[in-house]
């Protein structure tokens, strides 16, 4: 087959001739997203094909790691963003009389899959994964994906794929009717090139077999959804389910679109999709989710570090401490095939820890989400030991011992001795001074914090703490490793509690003051949960352990970090003293029947007694609005301080930490994004008002407005834009 040089067309799409086949080659790295220039290039490429009547078919192929992975998410922000040019291009592409065939690899997603579905045939390599993930951005497919997918695979699977945003593997897509044929890429070439070679050859044989190019033309818009009639209440049930999550309006919108696809002519379905798309594009949920998409990717980049910094290799990981945390951390590595050595002080504690990991895997297997063979394979990667020396050949050792500075320093000193030169030493402390721990190892350049969140095998967040002396390649290695274990990572500087727990401190402080003033745990949790947070502060601490929370406060006191206020976190300390550690002891802020939290009059009695002891006035007029302001605004204020001090590199990092690690609602974008949505002047006003509440000023500075917040409010700037341009 000979390729003739292509006439120059708008980059990044080229049109070429390969014998009697026309070829549109897309090259818009990294993921061939549909930028305006790509769409323009596609339009021009199609025109070139239309102007060449001797060609029998058109093949669409993308270079690099994937077929088009979606619309360019960043272009959705543009005020003049419109799907019209792309949609009319797809209509023209499909309407042609000569076959158009998509060659798929990587992840054809969103607008990329919509392009493939407008083609007459889809050939894919077996590793391809396809999907319409727009819902994850609070959107729906806006280029007829909602109308074509049900026509190809039926409304049931289509709605499932669109509402979950999950990807479907090519072999399953073949069965479902989304892919027409699996092909094997030509060997010895980079994946995309091998696919192109095999694909062009296959198209040529298809043309020969079909006995005429026109026989290959099959338009999905003209198909009837397969799978026979649906249950009469299918769509009303789906709408009722979507109505349970009104904060994600795209879910109900997708039901409307899928129903249109199976009940209305294509053109009318198109109108329904356009109307729903316009609505969700303007929704707060979508703006928030798009913000988080880019914030998550930006968080992985460390300012000032070269992209090509040589990294250290991590082939074997050691973990000290086989408690719930240590075991959970170990699972992350075993899950991706990295061998782990789990070290404990005593055989009993080690056995308990290993048994806990096994039980966790067994529970996953019981739910059908893992095979028994996989359980054994992962357990096979986990070696337990009571011998510290076993850590000597690990490339990374994470200590996950109890949150106590003396103990952490002692373990750090031993690790400094035992770990081989070049090994990374990480501490899983959630509040303590990482620099002090780093010094204790005697090799602080090798040390950083890896703050996992409980349950460590489930929670997506990894807060990486950069010490004053952490070597750049140590930091970069751990950030890369975070991706390998499927975590979203953000960097924090060293300070009490780092980004997340430091911001949680004033939030917990106000929750406890409100309890002393007369609010109930249920009242506080309900007000916070109504804002979309997964759990209110009382339920959260009951689950994490009041002992853990109280000890953190006590350690902070020892380090001289507490305000001169005996009522500060007095309730948490009292509950700890009384052995009310939360869920695990059956009583904390609530009492528990199994996992169910029940109101406990005893807590009210304790709160009232503490109020009397500390001269706090009890009130009966605490409203949900007051709770929200008093908990969330100081948290936001602390975030502004953190930004100003350079503890966080960017506002988006704070939002990632809170949404991925603390159950903050993603449809509100994170605390900083939310602050901008509320309006900074309103927050400053409320902070000032609460500071004057008792008429006695604010002796402990609890309500002092962060200078950065005050400045942004005064200048009409968004906190989210701090540090940009
Ligand atoms: N628009 C604009 N940029 C995109 C993009 C899109 N649709 N999809 C990915 N990117 C960018 C990322 O921002 C990142 O850029 P960076 O390297 O400058 O940070 C780069 O492409 C690589 O993405 P990343 O997610 O880090 O790579 P990956 O290999 O882990 O995953 C995808 C690739 C395509 C699976 C993943 O990026 C994804 O799911 N993208 C969204 C797809 C989508 O929702 N499409 C529908 C949009 S309507």
């Amino acid at each position: 087959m000979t390729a003739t040089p292509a006439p120059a067309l708008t980059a990044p799409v080229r049109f070429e001739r390969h014998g009697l086949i026309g070829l549109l080659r897309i090259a818009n790295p990294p993921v061939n997203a549909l930028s305006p220039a790509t769409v323009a290039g596609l339009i021009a490429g199609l025109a070139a094909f239309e102007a060449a009547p001797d060609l029998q078919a058109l093949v669409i192929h993308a270079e690099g790691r994937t077929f088009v992975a979606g619309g360019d998410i960043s272009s959705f922000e543009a005020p003049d963003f419109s799907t019209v040019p792309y949609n009319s291009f797809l209509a023209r592409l499909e309407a042609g009389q000569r076959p158009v065939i998509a060659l798929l690899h990587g992840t054809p997603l969103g607008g990329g899959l919509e392009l493939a579905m407008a083609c007459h045939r889809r050939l894919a390599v077996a590793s391809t994964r396809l999907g319409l993930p727009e819902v994850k951005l609070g959107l729906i497919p806006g280029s007829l994906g909602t109308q074509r997918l049900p026509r190809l695979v039926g409304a049931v699977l289509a709605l499932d794929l669109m509402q979950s945003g999950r990807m479907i593997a090519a072999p399953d897509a073949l069965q479902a009717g989304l892919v027409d044929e699996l092909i094997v890429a030509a060997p010895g070439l980079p994946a995309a090139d091998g696919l192109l070679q095999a694909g062009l050859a296959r198209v040529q044989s298809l043309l020969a077999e079909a006995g005429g190019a026109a026989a290959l033309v099959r338009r999905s818009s003209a198909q009837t959804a397969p799978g026979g009639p649906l249950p009469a209440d299918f769509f009303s049930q789906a709408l009722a389910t979507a109505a349970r999550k009104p904060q994600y309006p795209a879910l109900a919108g997708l039901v409307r679109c899928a129903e249109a696809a199976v009940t209305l002519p294509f053109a009318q379905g198109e109108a329904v999709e356009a109307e729903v798309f316009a609505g969700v594009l303007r929704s707060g949920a979508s703006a928030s989710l798009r913000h988080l998409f880019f914030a998550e990717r930006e968080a992985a980049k460390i300012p000032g570090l070269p992209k090509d910094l040589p990294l250290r290799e991590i082939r074997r990981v050691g973990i000290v401490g086989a408690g719930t945390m240590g075991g959970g951390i170990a699972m992350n590595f075993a899950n991706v095939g990295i061998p782990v050595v789990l070290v404990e002080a005593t055989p009993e504690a080690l056995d308990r820890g290993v048994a806990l990991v096994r039980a966790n895997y067994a529970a996953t297997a019981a739910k059908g989400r893992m095979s028994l063979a996989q359980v054994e394979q992962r357990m096979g990667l986990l070696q337990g030991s009571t011998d510290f020396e076993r850590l000597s050949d690990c490339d990374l050792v994470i200590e996950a011992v109890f949150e106590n500075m003396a103990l952490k320093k002692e373990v750090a000193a031993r690790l400094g001795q035992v770990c081989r030169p070049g090994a990374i030493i990480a501490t899983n402390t959630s509040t303590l001074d990482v620099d002090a721990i780093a010094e204790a190892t005697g090799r602080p350049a090798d040390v950083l914090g890896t703050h996992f969140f409980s349950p460590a095998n489930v929670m997506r967040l990894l807060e990486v703490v950069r010490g004053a002396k952490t070597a750049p390649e140590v930091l970069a290695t751990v950030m890369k490793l975070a991706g390998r274990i499927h975590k979203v990572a953000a960097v924090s500087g060293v300070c009490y509690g780092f980004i997340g727990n430091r911001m949680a401190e004033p939030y917990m402080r106000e929750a406890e003051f409100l309890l002393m003033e007369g609010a109930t745990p249920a009242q506080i949790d309900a007000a916070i949960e109504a804002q979309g947070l997964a759990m209110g502060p009382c339920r959260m601490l009951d689950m994490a352990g009041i002992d853990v929370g109280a000890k953190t406060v006590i350690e902070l006191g020892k380090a001289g970090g507490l305000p001169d206020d005996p009522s500060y976190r007095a309730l948490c300390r009292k509950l700890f003293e009384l052995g009310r550690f939360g869920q695990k002891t059956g009583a904390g802020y609530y009492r528990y029947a199994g996992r169910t939290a029940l109101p406990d009059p005893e807590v009210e009695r304790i709160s009232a007694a503490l109020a009397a002891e500390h001269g706090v006035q009890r009130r009966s007029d605490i409203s949900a609005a007051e709770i929200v302001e008093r908990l969330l605004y100081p948290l936001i204020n602390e975030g502004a301080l953190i930004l100003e001090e350079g503890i966080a590199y960017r506002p988006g990092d704070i939002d990632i930490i809170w949404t991925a690690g603390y159950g903050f609602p993603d449809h509100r974008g994170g605390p900083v994004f939310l602050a901008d949505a509320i309006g900074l002047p309103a927050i400053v006003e409320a902070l000032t008002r609460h500071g004057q509440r008792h008429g006695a000023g604010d002796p402990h500075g609890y309500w002092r407005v962060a200078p950065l917040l005050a400045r942004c409010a005064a200048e009409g700037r968004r906190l989210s834009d701090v540090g940009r341009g």
Side-chain angles (χ1 to χ4, degrees):
M1 221 177 289
T2 52
T4 45
L9 283 172
T10 319
V13 179
R14 297 195 309 276
F15 176 71
E16 293 175 1
R17 300 176 61 108
H18 287 255
L20 291 177
I21 300 172
L23 173 64
L24 279 185
R25 298 183 83 148
I26 304 168
N28 183 28
V31 298
N32 291 310
L34 293 166
S35 63
T38 313
V39 173
L42 287 169
I43 293 170
L46 179 59
F49 174 67
E50 288 168 344
D54 60 313
L55 294 176
Q56 294 185 348
L58 180 66
V59 165
I60 303 184
H61 172 261
E63 293 175 7
R65 62 203 242 202
T66 179
F67 191 76
V68 177
D72 185 342
I73 300 167
S74 52
S75 67
F76 298 164
E77 311 296 331
D80 59 348
F81 172 77
S82 161
T83 55
V84 171
Y86 188 55
N87 293 3
S88 37
F89 156 74
L90 293 180
R92 222 172 88 199
L93 186 79
E94 191 192 44
Q97 301 303 315
R98 291 171 291 168
V100 184
I101 296 153
L103 300 183
L104 305 178
H105 72 294
T107 49
L109 299 174
L113 183 57
E114 290 176 305
L115 168 60
M117 290 192 294
C119 293
H120 303 131
R121 302 267 154 173
R122 288 157 291 283
L123 312 184
V125 288
S127 58
T128 313
R129 289 174 305 144
L130 308 89
L132 292 176
E134 285 82 350
V135 72
K136 294 186 180 169
L137 301 170
L139 294 171
I140 66 156
S143 295
L144 285 314
T146 68
Q147 300 307 295
R148 286 201 170 91
L149 189 61
R151 284 175 164 82
L152 286 166
V153 306
V156 177
L157 178 59
L159 193 56
D160 163 27
L161 288 172
M162 294 191 294
Q163 285 192 323
S164 67
R166 74 181 168 90
M167 293 192 234
I168 179 171
D172 297 330
L174 176 72
Q175 282 231 308
L178 180 56
V179 160
D180 297 290
E181 206 177 307
L182 297 185
I183 57 171
V184 178
L189 291 170
D193 301 347
L195 166 64
L196 179 59
Q197 197 176 91
L200 287 171
R202 180 62 189 134
V203 170
Q204 211 152 47
S205 63
L206 276 173
L207 286 167
E209 283 164 23
L216 292 176
V217 173
R218 202 185 43 205
R219 300 184 181 94
S220 51
S221 65
Q223 281 180 232
T224 310
L230 295 163
D233 62 350
F234 177 76
F235 290 110
S236 56
Q237 287 290 344
L239 268 182
T241 307
R244 280 185 229 130
K245 290 191 178 169
Q247 66 276 34
Y248 300 104
L251 292 174
L254 285 167
V255 180
R256 276 189 63 202
C257 293
E259 184 170 21
V262 296
T263 55
L264 299 175
F266 193 77
Q268 285 180 35
E270 181 172 359
V272 172
E273 184 191 273
E275 185 198 320
V276 174
F277 182 81
V280 292
L281 182 64
R282 285 190 305 268
S283 68
S286 180
S288 301
L289 290 164
R290 290 187 327 250
H291 156 71
L292 289 172
F293 177 86
F294 287 114
E296 194 174 302
R297 278 150 187 82
E298 209 182 348
K301 294 170 192 148
I302 302 145
L305 292 202
K307 253 191 153 178
D308 52 356
L309 191 70
L311 303 182
R312 296 190 188 177
E313 226 178 300
I314 307 293
R315 281 161 303 208
R316 193 177 185 77
V317 172
I319 290 164
V320 183
T324 318
M325 208 51 180
I329 296 172
M331 291 171 77
N332 283 295
F333 295 101
N335 288 349
V336 297
I338 301 175
V340 188
V341 186
L342 194 55
V343 171
E344 251 299 349
T346 66
E348 297 73 37
L350 181 63
D351 289 348
R352 256 199 319 273
V354 173
L356 196 65
V357 173
R358 180 173 278 286
N360 263 327
Y361 279 134
T364 310
K367 285 181 206 143
R369 286 197 266 128
M370 187 188 270
S371 69
L372 290 176
Q374 278 173 316
V375 174
E376 291 315 317
Q377 183 256 340
R378 289 180 197 188
M379 288 307 293
L381 286 166
L382 190 86
Q383 284 174 17
S385 178
T386 51
D387 180 6
F388 237 72
E389 292 296 326
R390 291 290 305 284
L391 299 168
S392 61
D393 64 345
C394 290
D395 306 302
L396 162 69
V397 178
I398 302 172
E399 71 74 14
V401 301
F402 217 72
E403 190 77 351
N404 169 290
M405 190 47 127
L407 178 62
K408 295 259 186 205
K409 279 188 175 167
E410 185 193 315
V411 171
R414 286 183 75 186
L415 288 178
Q417 295 290 324
V418 168
C419 293
R420 64 164 184 76
I424 298 175
I425 301 172
T427 167
N428 182 50
T429 178
S430 51
T431 52
L432 298 176
D433 182 348
V434 170
D435 286 333
I437 296 171
E439 288 302 334
T441 64
R443 42 194 277 194
D446 289 332
V447 182
L448 42 54
T450 48
H451 181 202
F452 286 84
F453 288 72
S454 195
N457 55 314
V458 177
M459 296 298 287
R460 280 181 74 226
L461 179 65
L462 180 63
E463 194 177 24
V464 177
V465 187
R466 181 181 194 169
K469 294 186 184 162
T470 305
E473 83 273 11
V474 166
L475 180 62
T477 300
V478 169
M479 292 302 282
K480 180 89 186 285
L481 182 66
R484 222 168 125 197
I485 59 172
H486 309 303
K487 297 283 182 213
V488 28
V491 179
S492 170
V494 176
C495 64
Y496 168 79
F498 319 124
I499 296 174
N501 281 344
R502 176 168 158 187
M503 288 171 70
E505 191 56 37
Y507 171 82
M508 293 307 304
R509 172 195 84 206
E510 286 307 306
E512 296 208 344
F513 281 149
L514 279 162
L515 289 168
M516 281 198 259
E517 286 169 40
T520 65
Q523 192 188 351
I524 291 178
D525 285 348
I528 290 300
E529 286 159 22
Q531 296 301 305
L533 278 85
M535 233 183 259
C538 302
R539 283 216 295 144
M540 189 180 76
L541 200 55
D542 267 359
M543 210 170 85
I546 287 180
D547 50 335
V548 179
K551 281 182 189 162
T552 312
V553 178
I554 293 164
E555 283 291 317
L556 181 60
K558 283 191 206 156
L562 286 184
D564 181 20
D565 174 5
S567 70
Y568 186 88
R569 305 289 310 266
L571 181 56
C572 173
R573 287 188 272 183
K574 187 66 169 183
L575 295 175
F576 172 57
E577 226 177 271
L578 295 170
R580 296 181 66 115
F581 295 172
Q583 238 182 61
K584 61 185 157 191
T585 58
Y589 290 101
Y590 296 91
R591 67 190 173 80
Y592 287 85
R595 285 184 162 199
T596 311
L598 302 167
D600 191 347
E602 183 60 12
V603 173
E604 218 167 312
R605 202 193 56 72
I606 298 167
S607 304
L610 284 172
E613 185 183 331
H614 295 293
V616 175
Q617 210 175 352
R618 302 276 284 177
R619 310 150 46 203
S620 56
D621 62 346
I622 298 169
S623 68
E626 177 180 344
I627 293 169
V628 170
E629 282 187 1
R630 282 184 56 187
L631 267 65
L632 291 187
Y633 290 9
L635 178 154
I636 289 166
N637 194 47
E638 198 69 33
L641 282 175
I642 281 172
L643 272 176
E644 192 151 32
E645 291 167 21
I647 293 293
Y649 291 134
R650 304 158 274 245
D653 293 6
I654 292 177
D655 287 341
I656 289 300
I657 285 174
W658 274 84
T659 50
Y662 291 82
F664 202 94
D666 56 3
H667 58 87
R668 307 196 81 172
V672 180
F673 198 78
L674 175 64
D676 287 321
I678 293 169
L680 303 186
I683 294 177
V684 169
E685 180 279 316
L687 288 169
T688 312
R689 173 164 36 85
H690 288 296
Q692 293 159 349
R693 193 164 16 117
H694 304 303
D698 177 20
H700 307 294
Y702 293 151
W703 299 94
R704 197 172 299 142
V705 178
L708 177 68
L709 182 63
R711 270 201 314 279
C712 286
E715 293 165 9
R717 282 166 56 211
R718 281 164 28 108
L719 207 48
S720 301
D721 290 335
V722 167
R724 278 206 192 123

